[in-house]
Amino acid sequence: MNAPIVILGATSAIGQAFARIVAERGHDVVLCARCEVEAERSARDLEVRYGVAASALGFEATGDAADPLWFERLRARCGGGFGGVFIAHGAMCEESDARRDSTLTARMIDTNLTSVAQVLERFAPELEAAGQGFVCVVSSVAGDRGRASNYLYGASKAGLQALASGLRARLARAGVRVVDVRPGFVDTSLTWGRPGVFLAAAPARVARDAMRAIDRDRAVVYSPFFWRWIMTIIRWLPDSIFKRLAL
Amino acid sequence: MSAGRPRTQRLSGWGAYPVERCEVYRPERSRDVRDVVTAPAVRHVIARGQGRAYGDASLNAGAAVLDATRLERVLGFDADSGVLHCESALTLSEIIDLFLPRGWFFPVTPGTKFISVGGAVAADVHGKNHLRDGSIGRHLDELTLVLADGERVTCSPQIRPELFWATIGGMGLTGVILDAKIRLKRVETAWVHGRTERTRDLDETLERVIEGDRLHGYAVNWIDCVTRGRHMGRAVLLRADEAPLDTLPAKHRAAPHRIAPPVPLVVPFRLPSRVLNRYTMRVFNELVYRAHRPGASLANYQSYFYPLDAVHHWNRIYGRRGVLQYQIVVPTEQARSAMKQIIGRITDARRASFLGVIKTLGDQGDGLLSFPRPGLTLSLDFPYTGPELIHLLRELDDLVLDAGGRVYLAKDACVRAEHVPLMYPNLERFLAVKKQVDPEERFSSSLSRRLGLTRPA
């Protein structure tokens, strides 16, 4: 209970929702986000609501994930130990923009995949040594099978899925849980105003599904649950059919 | 940072009239508010919380609405002074859930707790305790706004007071309210001692309301505006005072701030318009009158202050056509004669009004466009049956103006622009402040254009 839970991307809708769930359970938290001032506001909220110790730390994924000094600052803030880490940061730009502009492509993949790989390699030995805790990444159904409409984003998320799966196997013998949460559409700024969004889940629901999966040590959870069945069908479709669908 | 894409939505207030197509932005972080307000694609914008104003206060036909509902964090609480610092989309309901167990209650009690702090400030809400405790403006220590140029400013009775008092009751027209500091009220228990009385006719109602409301902390009186003849204007008077700890029965004394939440009812869909008519309302009025027996009782805050909140989406009973809420205040000196005229006119017109509420208001606050002033206030719901209803309400406006009173803008959907300066004598001062902080009228709404507070689109 004492080792704080670290949330990266803490000011995102899913990050905020998850922070509230763990704080309500009495866990101290460290909220990491690009805008430290914004994360501070979230930290105050958790302190007053739930009486836990909450603090904020700036985290710029593409820079800090690889920076040992940043990790030292985080470790000091956490008093040496981590209860778990929840990765909620991510970027989604317009596919058409990313296809034209390779710096956008690079930035999206760096934010969604590379930074996560880098930062998790710092957390992994610490959690291994402690013999407890969890890692939860938020990938996406977009990673299950690349679709014509968003394969650049999908690629970054597919990478996360492999990362989570491998990390889970590595950390299992140390008793550390690794969970891959795969949301469909979530009602956040990423989908607001976007055409073609349906069945958008509330961020709180995704956070609850993530928490339940961590509690039960599930490898992969789809949020909401019905996406598991939708993606099973999508993944099963033979290429001759799939490539004709306007997905 | 950009404002993000807007979503086109058909929005309405609680009364489902009017319904307008708006471009809705929903920032998730407080610093994104600036991006929305200053976005090149945004020419006019108004903030929206829970959308519980009845009319068009949070609508912007063909223009932008800033949905603030994601900005609902608690930023601090001082357990000695009771000052709560929070973001503006936090609702009264959430505040009560968080702080009543700690012994604090919201200082004013409007008819519903499902409103945002920002909306409460913008409408300068009052409650059943206005006589003793004033409106929310009296309990605010500080506001933080995002102005038209995107700058975040703080104002209070000491810092930029003219902006502070223009924003309280200012219907969101001075800027987006981001944060507020509110003084909560310490309460010993979550219970009140209620006193119910019944009156037989309008004369007795007016007499007892004027004499008796001031003897209690809380007073709300349900008035019958459907029955004609001898019993026109009869009422059920519901007064209450906070219950001190030692007056609670033993079973509640151990956990005086806890009550079991009510099993929520919900109106699952809009009822067909035929269901609510003169006859069913007459039956309803009769039932309500009989159901309330005179006497004393112990009630918890939920059932005394927020009975309607127990029925989610209760406004759906009005069906697709919606409802017009009409709330007015007439000054004390004219109250008796004005109310007789107004209620007489409504009953004559055979316009069934479901929930008529009459209560006493106390001192006017310092909000420039604040509604309350010393006198009697009457609120009525009229199912929207067509333009002849608006015609009636405008007749009533004339009666109200003759008596020196005014209409509550947070409920309004049809007051005429030329009446506003007559109803709100501080309008010029308000417009001067607005011109200073928003010279291009970036903050405007369907309401502000209709009332001539801002230029037409």
Side-chain angles (χ1 to χ4, degrees):
Chain A
M1 273 297 216
N2 290 334
I5 291 175
V6 177
I7 298 172
L8 304 186
T11 57
S12 68
I14 296 176
Q16 294 250 59
F18 188 79
R20 284 204 178 152
I21 291 176
V22 294
E24 191 176 19
R25 290 181 174 205
H27 292 288
D28 293 342
V29 291
V30 176
L31 307 179
C32 306
R34 240 185 318 190
C35 179
E36 193 172 308
V37 169
E38 204 67 37
E40 265 302 323
R41 289 164 77 94
S42 299
R44 298 287 76 72
D45 176 72
L46 297 174
E47 284 187 336
V48 177
R49 279 177 192 261
Y50 307 115
V52 298
S55 69
L57 185 65
F59 173 67
E60 170 64 62
T62 48
D64 294 332
D67 184 1
L69 291 177
W70 178 83
F71 194 74
E72 278 317 304
R73 276 204 300 278
L74 176 68
R75 193 213 302 256
R77 185 70 67 84
C78 292
F82 307 110
V85 56
F86 186 83
I87 313 258
H89 71 273
M92 182 163 74
C93 54
E94 284 300 321
E95 276 294 297
S96 48
D97 291 342
R99 288 176 205 180
R100 274 196 300 269
D101 183 351
S102 13
T103 52
L104 285 181
T105 315
R107 195 181 318 152
M108 182 162 64
I109 297 179
D110 280 350
T111 306
N112 293 354
L113 179 56
T114 317
S115 73
V116 179
Q118 289 168 326
V119 82
L120 283 183
E121 281 311 304
R122 299 203 186 274
F123 279 104
E126 313 266 335
L127 292 168
E128 245 171 343
Q132 59 179 8
F134 69 86
V135 171
C136 183
V137 306
V138 180
S139 64
S140 168
V141 299
D144 279 44
R145 186 170 186 175
R147 294 181 281 120
S149 59
N150 69 346
Y151 54 82
L152 291 175
Y153 178 74
S156 68
K157 292 299 187 174
L160 264 190
Q161 294 179 354
L163 183 63
S165 162
L167 196 61
R168 180 179 173 84
R170 169 186 166 184
L171 296 181
R173 72 203 83 205
V176 179
R177 303 174 180 194
V178 179
V179 174
D180 171 5
V181 178
R182 299 184 186 178
F185 293 119
V186 189
D187 184 20
T188 69
S189 52
L190 257 52
T191 56
W192 183 262
R194 208 172 263 270
V197 170
F198 59 93
L199 293 175
R205 173 138 186 215
V206 177
R208 274 199 304 276
D209 287 346
M211 191 75 252
R212 195 178 310 120
I214 295 167
D215 285 341
R216 297 178 186 176
D217 195 15
R218 296 257 176 282
V220 172
V221 66
Y222 287 84
S223 178
F225 69 95
F226 51 77
W227 284 100
R228 181 180 291 270
W229 312 122
I230 298 175
M231 296 323 289
T232 300
I233 295 169
I234 301 276
R235 271 200 311 266
W236 163 87
L237 285 174
D239 175 67
S240 49
I241 298 177
F242 184 77
K243 67 187 179 191
R244 277 184 239 278
L245 296 175
L247 278 182
Chain B
M1 272 309 106
S2 79
R5 236 192 287 223
R7 178 193 283 186
T8 307
Q9 281 183 310
R10 283 168 56 80
L11 294 179
S12 73
W14 190 245
Y17 177 92
V19 182
E20 290 174 351
R21 193 177 237 98
C22 308
E23 299 295 307
V24 184
Y25 293 82
R26 193 185 60 186
E28 288 189 341
R29 298 169 177 84
S30 64
R31 67 194 171 134
D32 295 340
V33 173
R34 175 204 184 108
D35 296 323
V36 174
V37 168
T38 55
V42 170
R43 179 69 193 82
H44 297 289
V45 64
I46 194 74
R48 176 177 170 105
Q50 295 293 311
R52 298 289 286 232
Y54 275 79
D56 51 3
S58 68
L59 309 184
N60 222 351
V65 168
L66 190 152
D67 180 331
T69 53
R70 293 254 156 134
L71 305 171
E72 38 79 271
R73 291 171 291 192
V74 175
L75 301 173
F77 179 67
D78 181 333
D80 294 316
S81 62
V83 174
L84 169 65
H85 185 198
C86 64
E87 289 183 325
S88 62
L90 191 62
T91 62
L92 271 55
S93 172
E94 286 161 345
I95 292 173
I96 294 171
D97 284 346
L98 278 172
F99 293 102
L100 185 55
R102 306 182 202 194
W104 299 89
F105 200 60
F106 206 76
V108 299
T109 55
T112 171
K113 56 186 179 160
F114 295 127
I115 58 176
S116 63
V117 163
V121 170
D124 195 19
V125 295
H126 64 274
K128 301 165 183 43
N129 58 340
H130 185 265
L131 203 47
R132 184 186 67 182
D133 297 333
S135 61
I136 193 178
R138 198 191 285 187
H139 307 274
L140 280 175
D141 276 356
E142 193 180 279
L143 292 174
T144 301
L145 311 178
V146 174
L147 298 183
D149 58 6
E151 284 312 300
R152 216 183 264 212
V153 300
T154 298
C155 56
S156 73
Q158 295 80 33
I159 306 166
R160 299 188 69 165
E162 78 292 347
L163 178 60
F164 185 72
W165 296 115
T167 304
I168 294 171
M171 306 307 282
L173 297 172
T174 55
V176 178
I177 300 170
L178 202 55
D179 308 335
K181 282 189 183 164
I182 308 161
R183 263 172 284 117
L184 299 185
K185 179 162 87 155
R186 213 188 276 275
V187 288
E188 258 182 69
T189 75
W191 298 83
V192 294
H193 288 299
R195 239 218 110 70
T196 305
E197 291 170 47
R198 288 200 303 215
T199 63
R200 286 158 307 177
D201 57 38
L202 185 55
D203 279 324
E204 195 184 350
T205 299
L206 293 173
E207 181 72 42
R208 300 268 283 274
V209 166
I210 292 171
E211 285 311 301
D213 275 5
R214 60 194 169 82
L215 302 174
H216 296 272
Y218 301 94
V220 62
N221 311 304
W222 172 85
I223 184 167
D224 182 344
C225 290
V226 174
T227 304
R228 308 167 77 225
R230 224 164 19 111
H231 291 302
M232 180 184 88
R234 64 183 176 172
V236 176
L237 313 182
L238 301 165
R239 278 74 167 264
D241 293 283
E242 284 105 356
L245 184 59
D246 50 14
T247 63
L248 286 191
K251 63 181 171 185
H252 296 306
R253 246 177 270 166
H257 294 112
R258 187 165 51 84
I259 59 157
V263 176
L265 303 172
V266 62
V267 182
F269 51 80
R270 284 190 276 210
L271 296 190
S273 6
R274 291 282 143 251
V275 171
L276 273 197
N277 54 51
R278 234 186 351 263
Y279 309 102
T280 52
M281 288 211 199
R282 215 188 291 158
V283 170
F284 176 81
N285 277 263
E286 186 67 39
L287 284 176
V288 172
Y289 187 80
R290 283 169 193 247
H292 283 96
R293 300 298 193 75
S297 59
L298 186 69
N300 64 57
Y301 86 87
Q302 173 64 42
S303 57
Y304 177 74
F305 293 116
Y306 306 116
L308 283 177
D309 284 350
V311 183
H312 293 297
H313 300 295
W314 64 263
N315 58 339
R316 285 182 183 159
I317 62 175
Y318 290 107
R320 201 160 286 279
R321 27 166 214 192
V323 58
L324 290 186
Q325 238 246 352
Y326 187 68
Q327 179 166 5
I328 53 128
V329 60
V330 284
T332 325
E333 318 79 61
Q334 318 276 31
R336 257 182 249 262
S337 59
M339 281 298 171
K340 281 193 201 166
Q341 276 190 294
I342 291 167
I343 292 171
R345 183 77 194 83
I346 292 165
T347 326
D348 272 348
R350 297 171 187 258
R351 288 274 157 210
S353 171
F354 221 160
L355 298 160
V357 171
I358 185 168
K359 55 187 196 275
T360 319
L361 290 184
D363 287 334
Q364 182 162 324
D366 295 320
L368 295 179
L369 294 185
S370 285
F371 164 74
R373 51 174 303 175
L376 284 187
T377 178
L378 175 70
S379 329
L380 300 157
D381 281 358
F382 296 101
Y384 182 71
T385 46
E388 72 278 4
L389 174 61
I390 297 187
H391 191 71
L392 169 67
L393 294 189
R394 289 187 175 162
E395 273 186 55
L396 299 178
D397 284 352
D398 289 331
L399 293 176
V400 170
L401 277 167
D402 282 342
R406 57 188 172 217
V407 174
Y408 192 13
L409 300 181
K411 311 276 181 91
D412 171 55
C414 55
V415 162
R416 270 177 302 205
E418 54 267 28
H419 285 160
V420 180
L422 302 169
M423 292 180 175
Y424 289 91
N426 286 319
L427 182 62
E428 282 308 308
R429 277 174 63 196
F430 171 81
L431 292 175
V433 176
K434 178 162 170 68
K435 198 174 165 69
Q436 223 182 17
V437 296
D438 184 17
E440 287 166 27
E441 293 188 347
R442 196 157 260 272
F443 293 107
S444 69
S445 59
S446 294
L447 177 134
S448 73
R449 287 187 293 277
R450 173 171 58 83
L451 296 181
L453 305 180
T454 57
R455 284 186 296 268

